[in-house]
């Protein structure tokens, strides 16, 4: 069956794509709101969505029967203030999983707060919007979280593995259940950084799906011979994607030819860094990439936005004709490409180019404040680049998953149980104030973040009947 089509639940493999076990006895998500306005129950089993029905149709959504994830829905009391991330109406139940203290996030597997342990567990998602989970198509695992190092970046294997693991978990907490990490190979670090990220990948199985892109520096001329050999070794070692930065090679065209040759030899996709400021170079890449399967991705292509309109439009048409995907980085750049700005997403989409959005640098020297949050990327596409909230979220979810070669996710029976629940009623509001989140990977809760907002008593709130949290003890 082609990718993107729902698979029958009985055909699901016993383990998810990352090798971790799905929730053994299933999980029932109760009272979730969908983007079309419906309120539904969603039953998960075997790593897939088994059924979607109207609220209450798949089982009782209240009470504490056997298997109830009761620790996740403790009601507010005078001694335990309501802990939702946004103001709520008096008497409304607290959000599931909020631990009762401000700004606290629960990690996966923590008793009473992580994935439900009992068979047939239920999770009350009243007040939550349920979405297909985002994916991260452009991360830099080897340099993440190094902005405050105060010196040269350490490529010690243990340091790289720790950073890659922490970065992946941070992005998982934001909702990304799959990510593609670019890793430098060659030069001083050789294959050490890639080995460390691959170890992180194995350690994260069952929590998130991490794939790696081997990024060599120079591939042409006498200086490039070692780089080309290193790239081939990286693919044999386990790099899932062949990448690189043709803009830094003395012969960018020769660089792209070498990358495409290695990718073709091993049947790997290609993911190249380029600023996109040279229309002739983009035209050559499009011409060379047209026949390659499983596909070619370019990012961040911010230079396209600085080209004359006619040149940018022509380049977009050439990329579309070649089936090249563009991953933009609205939150900021990365070390693999120079120049400010975000790719012209509306122009690219109008030409027929698939456009996904990634995070790029996560608190390294390229972007010391990078957050790695796909919902922030979607927010920026909507607020700064004129996309509808639905199209902006597609760029970090469906289109991002397509870049990674992953099957489509819909909140419908038969699709993979890769889901994100965010506090809110509509997508636009979720992109604006999506602080509280519950992340589902392979049919089980793997991360949750609970935000708390409290206000002191005021005459204005009483007179106007405004929703508030807290106990009136703030001064």
């Amino acid at each position: 069956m082609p990718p993107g089509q729902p698979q029958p639940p009985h055909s699901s493999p016993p383990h998810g794509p990352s090798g971790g076990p799905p929730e053994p006895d299933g999980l029932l998500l109760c009272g979730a709101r969908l983007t079309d306005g419906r309120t539904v129950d969603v039953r998960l089993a075997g790593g897939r969505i088994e059924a979607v029905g109207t609220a209450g149709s798949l089982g009782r959504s209240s009470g504490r029967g056997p298997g109830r994830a009761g620790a996740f829905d403790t009601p507010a009391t005078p001694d335990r203030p309501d802990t939702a991330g946004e103001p709520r109406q008096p008497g409304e139940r607290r959000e599931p999983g909020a631990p009762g203290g401000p700004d606290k996030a629960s990690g996966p597997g923590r008793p009473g707060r992580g994935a439900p342990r009992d068979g047939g567990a239920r999770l009350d998602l009243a007040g939550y919007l349920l979405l297909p989970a985002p994916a991260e198509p452009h991360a830099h695992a080897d340099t993440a979280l190094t902005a405050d190092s105060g010196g040269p970046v350490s490529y010690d294997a243990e340091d790289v593995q720790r950073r890659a693991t922490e970065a992946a978990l941070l992005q998982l907490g934001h909702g990304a259940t799959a990510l593609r990490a670019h890793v430098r190979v060659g030069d001083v670090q050789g294959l050490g950084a890639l080995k460390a990220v691959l170890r992180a990948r194995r350690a994260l199985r069952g929590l998130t799906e991490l794939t790696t892109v081997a990024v060599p520096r120079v591939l042409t001329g006498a200086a490039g011979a070692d780089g080309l050999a290193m790239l081939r070794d990286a693919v044999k070692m386990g790099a899932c994607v062949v990448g690189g930065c043709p803009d830094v090679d003395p012969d960018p065209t020769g660089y792209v030819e070498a990358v495409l040759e290695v990718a073709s030899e091993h049947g790997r996709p290609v993911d190249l860094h380029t600023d996109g400021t040279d229309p002739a170079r983009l035209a050559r890449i499009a011409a060379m990439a047209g026949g390659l399967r499983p596909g070619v991705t370019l990012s961040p292509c911010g230079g396209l936005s600085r080209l004359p309109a006619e040149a940018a439009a022509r380049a977009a048409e050439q990329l579309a004709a070649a089936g090249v995907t563009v991953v933009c980085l609205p939150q900021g750049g990365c070390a693999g490409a120079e120049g400010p700005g975000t790719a012209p997403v509306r122009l690219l989409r109008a030409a027929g180019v698939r456009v996904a959005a990634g995070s790029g640098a996560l608190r390294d020297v390229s972007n010391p404040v990078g957050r790695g949050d796909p919902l922030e990327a979607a927010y920026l596409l909507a607020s700064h680049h004129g996309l509808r909230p639905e199209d902006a979220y597609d760029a970090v979810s469906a289109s991002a998953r397509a870049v990674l070669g992953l099957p489509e996710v819909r909140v419908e029976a038969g699709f993979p149980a890769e889901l994100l629940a965010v506090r809110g009623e509509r997508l636009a509001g979720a992109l604006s104030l999506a602080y509280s989140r519950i992340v589902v990977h392979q049919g089980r809760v793997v991360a949750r973040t609970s935000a708390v907002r409290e206000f002191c008593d005021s005459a204005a709130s009483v007179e106007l009947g405004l929703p508030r949290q807290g106990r009136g003890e703030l001064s």
Side-chain angles (χ1 to χ4, degrees):
M1 191 171 290
Q5 295 298 315
Q7 303 286 333
H10 66 267
S11 68
S12 302
H15 294 278
S18 300
E23 189 67 26
D25 297 306
L27 175 65
L28 182 62
L29 308 178
C30 303
R33 187 180 182 91
L34 302 184
T35 54
D36 61 9
R38 289 181 295 150
T39 300
V40 298
D41 290 351
V42 180
R43 185 166 60 234
L44 313 179
R48 290 190 174 273
I49 298 173
E50 186 178 75
V52 178
T54 55
S57 65
L58 301 182
R60 291 190 304 115
S61 60
S62 61
R64 295 188 185 277
R68 176 79 178 165
F72 300 158
D73 63 349
T74 307
T77 69
D79 296 325
R80 186 189 293 110
D82 199 325
T83 54
E86 293 74 36
R88 303 165 65 188
Q89 298 296 333
E92 185 179 351
R93 294 166 66 85
R94 71 174 287 228
E95 64 171 280
D103 300 326
K104 181 174 283 188
S106 318
R110 181 178 292 178
R113 296 180 186 175
R117 297 167 295 174
D118 299 327
R122 301 167 187 261
L123 190 59
D124 185 357
L125 292 183
Y128 276 74
L129 185 69
L130 189 62
L131 304 165
E136 174 52 69
H138 193 112
H140 285 265
D142 53 343
T143 58
L145 308 174
T146 58
D148 298 327
S149 61
V153 174
S154 168
Y155 283 98
D156 175 79
E158 185 175 337
D159 290 342
V160 174
Q161 183 177 352
R162 175 185 52 77
R163 293 197 303 261
T165 302
E166 184 178 354
L169 291 175
L170 284 172
Q171 293 181 283
L172 175 65
H174 290 316
T177 62
L179 67 152
R180 175 180 283 186
H182 293 254
V183 183
R184 298 176 184 179
V185 298
D187 296 333
V188 176
Q189 61 266 36
L191 293 174
L194 178 62
K195 290 179 182 177
V197 176
L198 289 173
R199 283 198 294 271
R201 177 192 183 190
R202 290 190 290 271
L204 289 163
R205 282 177 179 162
L207 292 177
T208 185
E209 187 167 354
L210 171 63
T211 58
T212 54
V213 186
V215 183
R217 184 165 178 81
V218 178
L219 293 181
T220 65
D226 289 343
L228 188 56
M230 190 76 68
L231 179 60
R232 287 193 164 94
D233 289 342
V235 175
K236 293 175 184 176
M237 180 183 292
C240 307
V241 184
V242 183
C245 307
D247 294 359
V248 303
D249 194 282
D251 179 6
T253 300
Y255 188 105
V256 175
E257 289 174 346
V259 166
L260 294 177
E261 180 181 346
V262 174
S264 180
E265 289 172 1
H266 296 274
R268 296 286 200 273
V270 168
D271 195 332
L272 294 171
H273 286 76
T274 183
D275 193 39
T277 53
D278 186 339
R281 185 179 301 167
L282 286 176
R284 287 192 293 271
I285 292 175
M288 290 186 287
L292 183 71
R293 295 294 180 268
V296 175
T297 299
L298 299 180
S299 57
C301 295
L304 271 174
S305 63
R306 302 190 294 275
L307 292 177
E310 184 177 343
R314 185 164 55 251
E317 291 170 359
Q318 292 165 338
L319 294 174
V324 173
T325 296
V326 171
V327 173
C328 65
L329 304 179
Q331 297 175 85
C334 67
E338 298 181 359
T342 300
V345 292
R346 287 196 295 175
L347 182 147
L348 289 166
R349 285 169 54 89
V353 178
R354 173 187 283 149
V355 178
S359 298
L362 174 57
R363 284 165 45 198
D364 66 19
V365 293
S366 300
N367 186 359
V369 295
R371 296 183 60 208
D373 184 351
L375 267 63
E376 182 181 53
Y379 154 77
L380 290 169
L381 290 179
S383 65
H384 291 188
H385 300 280
L387 266 61
R388 298 184 310 124
E390 295 77 11
D391 293 332
Y393 191 74
D394 176 271
V396 300
S397 55
S399 292
R401 286 183 62 86
V403 170
L404 273 59
L406 298 172
E408 182 182 10
V409 174
R410 301 179 198 165
V411 187
E412 298 177 13
F415 283 88
E418 303 289 320
L419 303 169
L420 171 64
V422 295
R423 188 79 187 169
E425 295 185 352
R426 293 199 172 26
L427 184 57
L431 296 185
S432 173
L433 294 169
Y435 299 125
S436 298
R437 310 182 192 186
I438 298 174
V439 187
V440 174
H441 175 52
Q442 296 179 5
R444 67 189 187 113
V445 176
V446 292
R448 68 181 71 231
T449 300
S450 299
V452 173
R453 177 178 293 144
E454 295 185 341
F455 302 100
C456 67
D457 286 328
S458 72
S461 64
V462 173
E463 291 173 5
L464 299 176
L466 299 178
R468 58 173 298 277
Q469 291 179 263
R471 292 166 285 180
E473 298 175 356
L474 302 181
S475 60

